[in-house]
C-alpha cells in the first residue's frame, strides 16, 4: 500500500496520468445542450455537499438585509465594470431550466433553476479582446480559511444554459444552496456550479490565483475540464 | 490427447489448424521432434498485457470512485425507493451491504474497512483493493481516465489488426458454433469422451471471448462515457437508452462485476491448463499443443 501511495504521488507519473485530460477536453468539450427534465422529475431532496454555508459577519449582514446590500461585482478585463444588485439582476431577462446536477462523487439530483444567463451579464460588462476566462469568487471558505473559487473559459461561459441562478424550484435560492447568486453549469460536474458568488473577474489567465489550477477542487487535483 | 484430437488437427481441410495453413515450428525435445503453433499475433499479445495492466487499474480506481458515493440508484431523481445497492457503516465498527433491500453484515470487507492509513474507517471498499489505497477521489479519477484510454487504444489496436489480418473469424462465435456449445460443455463435464471438432478456439472459448470483447467491453465503455455530463450533451440517446446517468452507473458497475467474473474463470483455466505453456504463448506467440508434442512419422 505504501508502494501504491508512492506511485500515486510521483509527479512524473501524475503528469502522465493527467495527460488524457487534454484529450478528454478536446474530444468531449462543450458542444451541445444538457438534458432538461419535467417538473415531476425534480428531486424530493437535493443533497448538499459543498463547503459549509458562510457564517461570517459579512454573510450574516447580507442575510439580515435580505441581500439588499448584495452586489455582484463584474470586473477584470472588461470595458464596463459593474456592481449589480439583486434587483438589477432580477430586471434582466430571466431563464428557467430543469436540469440535472452531476456530482463528481457520482450522485445526481434534478432541480429547476431560474436566473440570468451568464452570457447576458458578461455582455453588459463587455469583455476585452484579451479575455479568456471568467473567475468566480465565492463567500464560502474551508476550515483552513481557503476561499472557494471556480473558473470557466469564454466558450463555456457563453453557453446558453449557464446561469447565474437566483431561484431554485420556484423560490429564492435557500442560503444552504448558495444564496443569493450561484452559478449553474449543467454541462459539467457539480463543483463548477459555484455557490455564494460575490465577484466574477474576467482574466487572461488564472495561473496567478490561489493554487493556479483554476478552482478550489482543481487546486486539489481535480480536473479543470469537468465535463467528465 | 488421443487419436481424435490429432485427427481434429490434421485431417480437417481448409481450417486454420490444418497443416496447410497453420504457421508451425519444429523444435527438439529430448529424442522427439515437436511442433509449436503460432497462435497469438504481436498486436494480440501486446493488447492482452495492456489489458491486464489496465483492467487491474480500472477496477481498483473504479472502486475508489465508487467509495465517494457508495450506492447505486436506478433513477436520476435520487429518491431512496430506487436504491439497488448501498454499502454503509451505520455505526463505527460495523459495515453493512444492502442489496435490493436485504441487509447483510459485511464488517471488515465492505462498509467498515481498512482505510489505508493503518486503521479502519467508514469506507465501502477496503484500501487493499482500491487505487490509491487511502480515500482520494481525484487520484482515483486520474488513474481511471488514463487506463480507460489505455484499454480502449489496446482494444482498437487488437480489433483493427485482427480484422485486417482476417483473424477475427477464429474468435467470433459463428452460427455453426452454436450446436457445438453443449457438446463442448458435456466434454468438460466428462459426459462426452471427445470434444466436438473445432479450430483455434473451442466453441465455449469463442462464446466467452465474443461476449467479453464485443459485449461487455463496449458496454463498460459506453456506460462509462454516459456518466460524463459533457458526453450527455453530445449523445443524449445513449444516456436515455441506458435509463439515465444513475442507471448507467449501475450498468457500469454490473459490467465490471461480470468482467471480474470472466477474469476469475480465465485465470483459473490458465492455471489449470498448463500455466507455463499458456503464459509463454502469450509472451512469444508460440503455443505447444499437447497433440503436437510428438509429431507423427508421416508429418516429419
Amino acid at each position: 500500500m505504501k508502494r501504491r501511495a508512492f506511485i500515486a504521488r510521483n509527479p512524473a507519473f501524475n503528469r502522465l496520468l493527467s495527460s488524457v485530460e487534454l484529450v478528454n477536453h478536446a474530444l468531449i468539450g462543450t458542444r451541445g445542450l444538457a438534458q432538461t427534465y419535467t417538473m415531476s422529475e425534480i428531486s424530493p431532496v437535493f443533497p448538499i455537499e459543498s463547503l459549509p454555508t458562510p457564517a461570517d459577519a459579512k454573510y450574516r449582514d447580507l442575510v439580515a438585509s435580505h441581500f439588499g446590500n448584495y452586489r455582484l461585482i463584474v470586473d477584470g478585463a472588461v470595458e464596463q465594470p459593474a456592481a449589480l444588485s439583486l434587483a438589477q439582476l432580477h430586471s434582466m431577462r430571466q431563464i428557467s431550466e430543469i436540469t440535472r446536477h452531476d456530482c463528481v462523487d457520482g450522485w445526481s439530483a434534478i432541480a429547476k433553476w431560474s436566473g440570468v444567463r451568464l452570457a447576458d451579464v458578461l455582455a453588459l460588462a463587455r469583455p476585452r479582446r484579451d479575455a479568456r476566462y471568467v473567475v468566480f469568487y465565492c463567500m464560502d471558505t474551508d476550515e483552513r480559511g481557503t476561499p472557494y473559487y471556480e473558473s470557466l473559459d469564454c466558450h463555456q461561459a457563453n453557453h446558453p444554459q449557464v446561469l447565474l441562478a437566483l431561484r431554485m424550484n420556484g423560490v429564492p435560492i435557500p442560503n444552504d444552496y448558495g444564496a443569493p447568486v450561484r452559478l449553474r453549469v449543467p454541462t459539467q460536474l457539480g463543483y463548477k456550479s459555484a455557490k455564494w458568488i460575490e465577484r466574477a473577474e474576467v482574466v487572461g489567465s488564472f495561473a496567478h490565483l490561489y493554487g493556479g489550477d483554476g478552482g478550489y477542487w482543481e487546486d486539489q487535483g481535480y480536473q479543470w475540464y469537468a465535463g467528465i | 490427447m488421443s487419436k481424435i484430437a490429432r485427427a481434429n488437427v490434421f485431417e480437417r481441410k481448409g481450417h486454420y489448424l490444418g497443416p496447410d495453413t497453420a504457421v508451425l515450428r519444429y523444435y527438439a525435445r529430448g529424442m522427439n521432434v515437436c511442433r509449436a503453433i503460432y497462435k497469438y499475433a504481436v498486436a494480440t499479445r501486446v493488447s492482452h498485457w495492456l489489458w491486464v495492466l489496465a483492467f487491474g487499474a480500472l477496477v481498483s480506481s473504479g472502486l475508489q470512485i465508487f467509495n465517494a458515493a457508495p450506492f447505486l440508484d436506478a433513477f436520476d431523481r435520487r429518491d431512496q425507493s430506487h436504491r439497488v445497492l448501498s454499502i454503509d457503516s451505520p455505526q463505527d465498527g460495523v459495515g453493512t451491504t444492502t442489496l435490493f433491500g436485504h441487509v447483510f453484515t459485511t464488517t471488515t470487507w465492505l462498509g467498515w474497512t481498512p482505510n489505508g492509513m493503518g486503521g479502519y474507517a467508514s469506507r465501502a471498499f477496503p484500501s487493499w483493493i482500491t487505487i490509491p489505497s487511502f480515500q482520494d477521489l481525484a487520484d482515483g479519477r486520474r488513474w481511471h481516465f488514463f487506463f480507460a484510454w489505455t484499454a480502449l487504444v489496446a482494444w482498437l489496436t487488437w480489433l483493427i489488426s485482427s480484422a485486417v489480418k482476417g483473424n477475427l473469424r477464429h474468435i467470433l462465435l459463428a452460427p455453426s458454433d452454436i450446436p457445438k456449445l453443449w457438446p463442448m460443455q458435456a466434454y468438460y463435464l466428462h459426459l462426452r469422451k471427445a470434444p466436438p471438432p473445432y479450430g483455434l478456439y473451442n466453441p465455449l472459448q469463442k462464446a466467452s471471448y465474443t461476449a467479453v470483447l464485443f459485449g461487455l467491453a463496449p458496454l463498460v465503455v459506453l456506460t462509462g462515457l454516459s456518466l460524463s455530463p459533457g458526453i450527455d450533451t453530445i449523445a443524449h440517446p445513449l444516456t436515455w437508452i441506458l435509463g439515465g446517468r444513475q442507471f448507467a452507473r449501475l450498468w457500469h458497475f454490473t459490467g465490471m462485476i461480470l468482467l471480474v467474473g470472466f477474469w476469475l474463470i480465465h485465470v483459473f483455466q490458465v492455471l489449470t491448463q498448463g500455466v507455463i505453456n499458456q503464459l509463454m504463448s502469450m509472451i512469444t506467440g508460440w503455443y505447444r499443443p499437447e497433440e503436437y508434442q510428438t509429431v507423427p512419422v508421416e508429418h516429419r
Side-chain angles (χ1 to χ4, degrees), chain B residues 31-108:
Chain B
M31 295 296 289
N32 294 322
V33 175
C34 300
R35 288 186 203 196
I37 178 169
Y38 190 64
K39 197 173 177 186
Y40 303 117
V42 179
T44 306
R45 284 177 275 146
V46 171
S47 42
H48 175 270
W49 294 113
L50 282 175
W51 283 330
V52 171
L53 185 73
F55 184 64
L58 282 169
V59 171
S60 304
S61 58
L63 295 178
Q64 166 76 246
I65 294 170
F66 177 89
N67 274 357
F71 50 79
L72 294 170
D73 283 351
F75 200 12
D76 287 336
R77 213 173 78 127
R78 194 186 160 111
D79 50 11
Q80 300 286 332
S81 60
H82 289 84
R83 190 142 291 182
V84 173
L85 170 77
S86 69
I87 303 177
D88 311 288
S89 176
Q91 63 185 77
D92 279 6
V94 178
T96 59
T97 301
T98 310
L99 185 63
F100 294 110
H102 301 281
V103 184
F104 305 93
T105 303
T106 50
T107 311
T108 75

Side-chain angles (χ1 to χ4, degrees), chain A:
Chain A
M1 265 152 250
K2 287 205 170 106
R3 191 193 176 92
R4 272 190 293 180
F6 170 73
I7 296 170
R9 289 281 174 254
N10 180 298
F13 183 68
N14 263 301
R15 275 197 297 278
L16 175 69
L17 291 185
S18 303
S19 60
V20 300
E21 191 188 341
L22 297 172
V23 182
N24 291 340
H25 189 183
L27 286 182
I28 304 170
T30 307
R31 302 189 199 286
L33 294 175
Q35 286 201 53
T36 54
Y37 295 83
T38 60
M39 291 295 283
S40 66
E41 290 171 298
I42 289 174
S43 300
V45 178
F46 199 101
I48 298 170
E49 279 190 18
S50 60
L51 297 182
T53 305
D56 57 340
K58 184 175 74 176
Y59 192 71
R60 283 204 308 273
D61 286 350
L62 283 175
V63 173
S65 75
H66 300 285
F67 301 105
N69 299 333
Y70 174 83
R71 294 292 180 275
L72 174 69
I73 309 293
V74 185
D75 62 357
V78 294
E79 310 272 353
Q80 183 68 55
L84 302 167
S85 68
L86 271 191
Q88 282 173 296
L89 288 168
H90 275 289
S91 69
M92 295 173 67
R93 178 174 53 163
Q94 300 293 301
I95 305 288
S96 284
E97 58 193 25
I98 303 174
T99 49
R100 199 180 66 211
H101 180 94
D102 290 339
C103 181
V104 66
D105 282 358
W107 54 263
S108 305
I110 298 167
K112 180 182 174 187
W113 302 95
S114 316
V116 294
R117 277 195 182 127
L118 175 60
D120 289 348
V121 172
L122 290 176
L124 281 180
R126 299 203 306 275
R128 293 201 309 253
R129 283 180 157 270
D130 55 338
R132 288 203 56 204
Y133 300 97
V134 189
V135 177
F136 301 90
Y137 299 89
C138 304
M139 291 183 265
D140 50 329
T141 57
D142 67 12
E143 68 277 9
R144 288 187 300 265
T146 310
Y148 198 90
Y149 76 108
E150 254 306 338
S151 59
L152 296 174
D153 67 23
C154 288
H155 173 67
Q156 295 162 350
N158 282 307
H159 189 277
Q161 288 175 316
V162 171
L163 301 184
L164 287 167
L166 307 171
R167 300 172 78 80
M168 175 187 186
N169 293 333
V171 297
I173 292 183
N175 293 356
D176 292 341
Y177 291 92
V181 177
R182 78 172 290 176
L183 192 62
R184 269 296 297 159
V185 187
T187 56
Q188 298 196 48
L189 294 174
Y191 60 85
K192 283 282 169 187
S193 294
K195 294 174 169 182
W196 304 292
I197 291 176
E198 57 179 351
R199 179 179 170 210
E201 186 192 14
V202 178
V203 296
S205 160
F206 48 67
H208 61 289
L209 295 168
Y210 305 103
D213 291 317
Y216 176 83
W217 289 112
E218 287 86 336
D219 286 343
Q220 295 175 47
Y222 286 85
Q223 290 80 8
W224 181 81
Y225 172 67
I228 187 164

Side-chain angles (χ1 to χ4, degrees), chain B residues 263-284:
Chain B
W263 176 80
L264 287 173
I265 295 168
H266 178 71
V267 169
F268 172 79
Q269 289 187 324
V270 168
L271 288 177
T272 54
Q273 292 171 21
V275 60
I276 301 294
N277 189 13
Q278 299 274 8
L279 283 178
M280 285 309 288
S281 68
M282 200 38 104
I283 294 167
T284 65

Side-chain angles (χ1 to χ4, degrees), chain B residues 1 21 31 63 97 104 124 136 205 207 226 237 243 245 284 287:
Chain B
M1 285 249 225
T21 53
M31 295 296 289
L63 295 178
T97 301
F104 305 93
D136 190 332
Q205 285 178 309
S226 69
R245 184 182 187 237
T284 65
Y287 180 69

Side-chain angles (χ1 to χ4, degrees), chain B residues 144-264:
Chain B
H144 207 69
F145 298 150
F146 179 81
F147 285 101
W149 274 112
T150 308
L152 186 64
V153 169
W155 184 77
L156 287 172
T157 307
W158 166 82
L159 181 70
I160 293 168
S161 149
S162 303
V164 167
K165 289 184 181 167
N167 286 341
L168 279 181
R169 66 199 160 88
H170 298 304
I171 211 167
L172 274 178
L173 189 74
S176 61
D177 292 315
I178 291 168
K180 296 181 191 169
L181 285 171
W182 170 245
M184 193 66 213
Q185 186 62 54
Y187 169 70
Y188 277 136
L189 295 172
H190 300 283
L191 300 173
R192 231 181 100 115
K193 280 199 173 125
Y198 60 82
L200 201 54
Y201 297 98
N202 77 49
L204 288 174
Q205 285 178 309
K206 284 170 130 182
S208 50
Y209 290 140
T210 304
V212 166
L213 289 161
F214 296 97
L216 287 178
L219 176 79
V220 290
V221 170
L222 292 176
T223 53
L225 283 175
S226 69
L227 296 178
S228 144
I231 289 283
D232 203 13
T233 67
I234 312 169
H236 257 24
L238 175 65
T239 321
W240 184 80
I241 285 171
L242 295 168
R245 184 182 187 237
Q246 293 303 307
F247 234 121
R249 199 166 168 259
L250 177 58
W251 296 133
H252 196 60
F253 191 88
T254 309
M256 180 275 294
I257 296 287
L258 292 173
L259 281 173
V260 168
F262 166 82
W263 176 80
L264 287 173

